[in-house]
Amino acid sequence: MAKLTILEFPDPRLRIRAQTVESVDDELRTLIEDMFETMYSAPGIGLAATQVDVHKRLLVTDVTADRSDPHVLINPVIVEKDGVTVTEEGCLSVPGYFEEVKRAEHIRVRYLDRNGDEQEMEAHGLLAVCIQHEMDHLEGKLFVDYLSEAKRMRIRKKLVKGQRHRSPDAVAL
Ligand code: GNR
Ligand code: NI
């Protein structure tokens, strides 16, 4: 297992649109294990491959406090959504900032599991919000994109200022 480095806004690699996964193989399963380790140790409730500089359509989540409900979604597609919910969101790629974002309260999502089998799941509340947040990452989109330009620029400035005083390797520790 290995803990991976999480890219931070405004890193341009967070804007890359992820590619469809063509083969669910052992190499991908190793990446999945590393993503869980990275997410749990952060700690976070979700992680998209984009955030660890792998531009494949893959995300992991576990929104439980006791980490008892891990999900792996490969090539996820939302096939149904309804309702509206507003959540104070944070992001491991935008550390230290939390803002309200409006999303669908309920979704149905179709995806491949870690064995490459097609699955469909229904999600409500925080799990639904988290899956939508991660699917945005796969499109190169961040929660700060839903904020005003002024707010986004203020966050960007502060993060860049902090990143200047840190070597890239220090982030990985
Ligand atoms: O850890 C995370 N918490 C969170 C809280 C509210 C809405 C979304 C999230 S996802 C975030 C981890 C992350 O950055 N995933 O991309
Ligand atoms: Ni995020």
Side-chain angles (χ1 to χ4, degrees):
M1 294 253 277
K3 203 163 89 179
L4 308 169
T5 301
I6 298 175
L7 302 177
E8 292 183 6
F9 178 66
D11 193 306
R13 292 170 291 182
L14 288 167
R15 298 309 191 178
I16 298 170
R17 185 172 182 276
Q19 302 276 312
T20 301
V21 171
E22 301 292 353
S23 161
V24 180
D25 53 18
D26 286 346
E27 190 187 334
L28 196 77
R29 282 183 280 269
T30 298
L31 172 63
I32 289 164
E33 287 312 306
D34 292 346
M35 284 176 61
F36 272 117
E37 184 182 351
T38 305
M39 177 186 79
Y40 285 137
S41 101
I45 60 169
L47 189 70
T50 308
Q51 291 176 279
V52 294
D53 202 24
V54 175
H55 302 284
K56 296 181 180 169
R57 305 189 78 78
L58 161 68
L59 65 89
V60 298
T61 76
D62 187 343
V63 302
T64 64
D66 61 354
R67 306 174 160 194
S68 58
D69 192 29
H71 294 278
V72 178
L73 280 69
I74 300 164
N75 298 340
V77 178
I78 291 174
V79 294
E80 211 178 285
K81 60 173 162 182
D82 49 81
V84 174
T85 186
V86 175
T87 309
E88 182 107 317
E89 294 197 14
C91 181
L92 296 171
S93 297
V94 190
Y97 295 88
F98 302 87
E99 298 286 347
E100 287 189 341
V101 178
K102 197 192 292 185
R103 299 193 189 268
E105 196 281 329
H106 160 253
I107 60 172
R108 269 189 89 75
V109 55
R110 193 171 294 159
Y111 59 96
L112 303 179
D113 65 18
R114 62 177 99 197
N115 299 314
D117 294 326
E118 232 187 86
Q119 303 288 348
E120 210 170 283
M121 73 178 275
E122 210 173 340
H124 290 267
L126 187 57
L127 179 57
V129 166
C130 187
I131 290 170
Q132 291 171 82
H133 173 115
E134 304 316 333
M135 288 181 69
D136 272 355
H137 277 301
L138 303 180
E139 295 300 317
K141 187 162 180 157
L142 299 167
F143 86 92
V144 295
D145 298 344
Y146 295 103
L147 310 178
S148 69
E149 172 88 359
K151 239 179 195 174
R152 183 166 53 257
M153 283 308 147
R154 186 174 57 81
I155 292 170
R156 185 193 145 102
K157 248 187 186 159
K158 289 187 175 172
L159 282 174
V160 168
K161 195 169 174 181
Q163 289 161 11
R164 269 197 296 138
H165 299 288
R166 233 170 346 136
S167 85
D169 284 334
V171 183
L173 302 173

